[in-house]
Amino acid sequence: MNKKVISALLCGTMILGAASPVFAAGEGQKIALVGKSAGNAFFEIAAASFQETVEAEGGEVEVVYPETATADAQIKVLDNLISQDFDAICIAANDVNALQAKLEEAMDAGIKVSSFDSAPNKDSRQVFINQAGTQAVGQALIDAVLDITGGEGQFAILSATSQAANQNAWIEAMQTIMEGDEKYSGLELVEVAYGDDEPQKSTDQTAALIQNYPDLKVICAPTTVGIAAAAKYLQDNEATCKLTGLGLPSEMLEYTGDDDAHSCPYFYLWDMQGLGKLSAYATMALVSGDITGALDETFTAGDLGEYTITEADDGGTEIVLGEPLQFTPENIEEYAELY
Ligand code: RAM
């Protein structure tokens, strides 16, 4: 029986049969959550919160990781999911455009498609759950670089994969902000290196940056895997080059400090449990028909409150969780207990 009919019947039964019916937002829903790659704590934390949220609302979640952090590997995963009876797929895309045909196939088959963390293009999704505005992240990162370099000098970016939709959007935002304001004119971006969200490759890329640019003042790594690898390398080697970017407080605890003994003065991320939860509520709302992903629709994301669907930079729609959070020596211990 169709899931919507089942939930309508369940709802009716609850209203007739119980004194105070509790409406479960995800009753009977079957949702697949697809991360960018396996073995990355970032996705494990978001997935745990996503799963817990859906299960508490009466649905079930299958978390699937591709074999590699590529679009091809995600296409294989999607092929497999489309052949099963999932109500929705929520995906962090390894490429902006390469998943379009497959995600359109999923939507044509009646599967709702949302994305989180890393957005496939606007035709490949119904809505994107953006952890923090793309411009806001770009602004926070370039301002951190400006501050930590002391206002001028060389910096490099250590990214994940070269095709990663979110990484490229943040890097582009940083570059646009930099080019548009005189105050960044003393900064020189010498290289964007790719560690592919693999610890060893990220370490090797950090080593190469330090060797190739002896005057490098800052590395900005907008990836949790990259920043943790670079933090360790720079600190172990007592490099003068400093670090900032996007990281998990739990993985950055021992590297964050204002003194020479630490490689990272401060860095950013966002509420990780909130990201999983908001993605879960948005995806459940697509399945139940409460939203379609269109501009200006609103829905309630449990105890996170009410959210409105807004326009994304790519012309599609998104739901923005909140502002990026800054982690400093003062607050990192508290956050490290959470994620
Ligand atoms: C890595 C991934 C992820 C990104 C975070 C900040 O774990 O590349 O997509 O959002 O870093």
Side-chain angles (χ1 to χ4, degrees):
M1 200 186 310
N2 174 302
K3 289 270 160 52
K4 268 192 192 149
V5 176
I6 297 176
S7 58
L9 287 175
L10 278 171
C11 232
T13 314
M14 278 154 65
I15 289 164
L16 292 174
S20 51
V22 181
F23 175 68
E27 197 61 58
Q29 294 185 11
K30 198 174 152 200
I31 299 173
L33 184 72
V34 185
K36 281 164 80 180
S37 57
N40 179 347
F42 178 92
F43 289 107
E44 285 159 12
I45 295 166
S49 157
F50 187 104
Q51 190 155 18
E52 194 180 300
T53 306
V54 172
E55 284 173 1
E57 294 288 351
E60 56 181 285
V61 175
E62 190 168 319
V63 181
V64 200
Y65 295 107
E67 265 176 36
T68 56
T70 61
D72 281 352
Q74 282 189 320
I75 287 171
K76 274 194 204 150
V77 165
L78 289 170
D79 262 333
N80 189 20
L81 293 174
I82 293 169
S83 69
Q84 301 175 50
D85 64 338
F86 282 95
D87 296 304
I89 295 171
C90 180
I91 184 167
N94 277 326
D95 189 291
V96 186
N97 297 316
L99 301 175
Q100 184 174 336
K102 219 15 95 185
L103 290 171
E104 280 179 342
E105 188 184 322
M107 289 187 278
D108 288 345
I111 300 171
K112 306 297 178 198
V113 174
S114 58
S115 65
F116 78 114
D117 178 53
S118 184
N121 69 28
K122 65 182 171 63
D123 299 319
S124 308
R125 65 176 201 258
Q126 289 173 272
V127 74
F128 171 47
I129 297 90
N130 197 348
Q131 44 257 61
T134 306
Q135 293 304 316
V137 172
Q139 187 75 57
L141 294 179
I142 195 67
D143 283 344
V145 171
L146 186 70
D147 176 37
I148 299 168
T149 55
E152 56 171 19
Q154 294 186 341
F155 78 102
I157 293 175
L158 173 64
S159 183
T161 64
S162 63
Q163 297 304 311
N166 56 345
Q167 296 287 324
N168 289 342
W170 294 323
I171 295 168
E172 200 185 307
M174 286 175 77
Q175 283 172 312
T176 309
I177 296 166
M178 221 172 101
E179 282 154 20
D181 192 330
E182 255 310 283
K183 79 172 176 186
Y184 304 104
S185 60
L187 294 179
E188 186 197 350
L189 173 59
V190 292
E191 188 175 330
V192 180
Y194 299 97
D196 291 348
D197 271 350
E198 288 170 17
Q200 190 54 51
K201 186 159 183 206
S202 304
T203 304
D204 296 346
Q205 291 293 319
T206 306
L209 287 172
I210 295 302
Q211 200 180 355
N212 294 341
Y213 307 99
D215 296 330
L216 195 65
K217 281 192 173 170
V218 172
I219 293 175
C220 177
T223 134
T224 57
V225 179
I227 199 174
K232 180 167 172 33
Y233 182 86
L234 295 176
Q235 195 155 311
D236 288 354
N237 290 281
E238 295 175 7
T240 52
C241 177
K242 290 289 176 190
L243 177 71
T244 191
L246 302 174
L248 288 166
S250 55
E251 294 182 343
M252 290 295 290
L253 194 54
E254 59 186 298
Y255 309 113
T256 304
D258 288 324
D259 53 4
D260 287 346
H262 295 91
S263 53
C264 179
Y266 61 89
F267 62 100
Y268 292 85
L269 201 69
W270 37 79
D271 170 9
M272 284 300 297
Q273 275 86 18
L275 174 61
K277 206 182 234 193
L278 183 60
S279 306
Y281 275 110
T283 307
M284 288 188 283
L286 282 176
V287 176
S288 65
D290 284 353
I291 59 170
T292 63
L295 196 62
D296 293 332
E297 287 178 335
T298 58
F299 68 103
T300 303
D303 59 6
L304 291 176
E306 191 169 274
Y307 278 81
T308 303
I309 300 181
T310 53
E311 190 174 351
D313 290 350
D314 64 2
T317 61
E318 68 181 9
I319 303 158
V320 179
L321 174 66
E323 291 294 312
L325 300 176
Q326 188 189 49
F327 304 107
T328 65
E330 285 70 44
N331 68 7
I332 189 164
E333 278 183 36
E334 185 191 323
Y335 281 103
E337 284 174 21
L338 299 173
Y339 47 89

